Amino acid sequence: MSLIPSFFGGRRTNVFDPFSSDIWDPFHDFPFTTTSLSAPRSNFANETAAIANTRIDWKETPEAHVFKADLPGLKKEEVKVEVEEGRVLQISGERSKEKEEKNDKWHRVERSSGKFLRRFRLPENAKVEQVKATMENGVLTVTVPKEEVKKPDVKTIDISG
């Protein structure tokens, strides 16, 4: 259930979700004029953009939990999928910055670069020892199978009389 409607891309967020990727930068578009403030801020902004731009969908099917992440331009060797103690799925990697040539004149830089990290606490029914990950056309798919829910045994009793 969404607590706050989002006008950005139709996605909804939950302010109480500690793993939410929504990061608010209060200094976004604020004109810093001194170099002492602008240098650290730009590094922070780049790292924030890299983390915030790693959008991951999580759906649950009857058989598994499926995570999908758009990671365009990354190779599978640049992405790491881990399951930590306590059933925490961690997806991380690094998007390299494009090399700058001396004669290049950049007009706009919008693509993010830097490290990204997302963590998800898996539910009790996740089979963490059977996690599988595939990467195809820049889309990472992580599948976490679920334990089968045991149906209670029902014994029919004949009614005499």
Side-chain angles (χ1 to χ4, degrees):
M1 184 171 109
S2 172
L3 296 177
I4 299 176
S6 175
F7 304 103
F8 307 105
R11 295 188 184 267
R12 296 182 182 270
T13 62
N14 183 336
V15 293
F16 301 110
D17 180 6
F19 301 109
S20 177
S21 67
D22 295 339
I23 298 173
W24 176 61
D25 182 1
F27 300 110
H28 182 69
D29 293 331
F30 191 81
F32 287 118
T33 55
T34 62
T35 55
S36 63
L37 287 176
S38 62
R41 191 257 178 234
S42 62
N43 290 339
F44 174 74
N46 288 343
E47 291 174 15
T48 301
I51 293 170
N53 286 334
T54 307
R55 297 288 192 182
I56 298 180
D57 295 337
W58 175 1
K59 73 175 178 179
E60 183 176 355
T61 68
E63 298 81 30
H65 295 275
V66 181
F67 298 82
K68 287 195 177 203
D70 289 335
L71 302 171
L74 290 182
K75 299 179 192 112
K76 67 179 183 178
E77 296 81 22
E78 299 172 314
V79 178
K80 192 188 307 185
V81 177
E82 301 170 303
V83 177
E84 298 177 343
E85 285 186 44
R87 296 179 332 276
V88 176
L89 174 69
Q90 178 171 302
I91 300 171
S92 62
E94 185 167 3
R95 187 172 284 129
S96 301
K97 197 174 193 180
E98 192 170 326
K99 292 182 181 178
E100 294 185 27
E101 300 293 328
K102 290 183 179 180
N103 297 330
D104 290 347
K105 180 181 178 184
W106 291 84
H107 293 279
R108 183 177 295 267
V109 178
E110 293 184 345
R111 296 181 302 145
S112 61
S113 63
K115 295 180 181 182
F116 63 90
L117 171 73
R118 295 296 308 276
R119 301 175 81 184
F120 302 91
R121 183 167 305 279
L122 297 171
E124 293 284 337
N125 66 351
K127 292 182 178 180
V128 294
E129 66 281 346
Q130 296 179 10
V131 175
K132 292 190 171 123
T134 60
M135 183 100 156
E136 188 175 335
N137 296 328
V139 178
L140 173 70
T141 303
V142 179
T143 305
V144 183
K146 291 171 32 179
E147 293 179 7
E148 292 181 25
V149 178
K150 287 189 173 185
K151 296 180 182 175
D153 291 333
V154 177
K155 181 178 176 185
T156 305
I157 309 296
D158 290 333
I159 301 174
S160 60

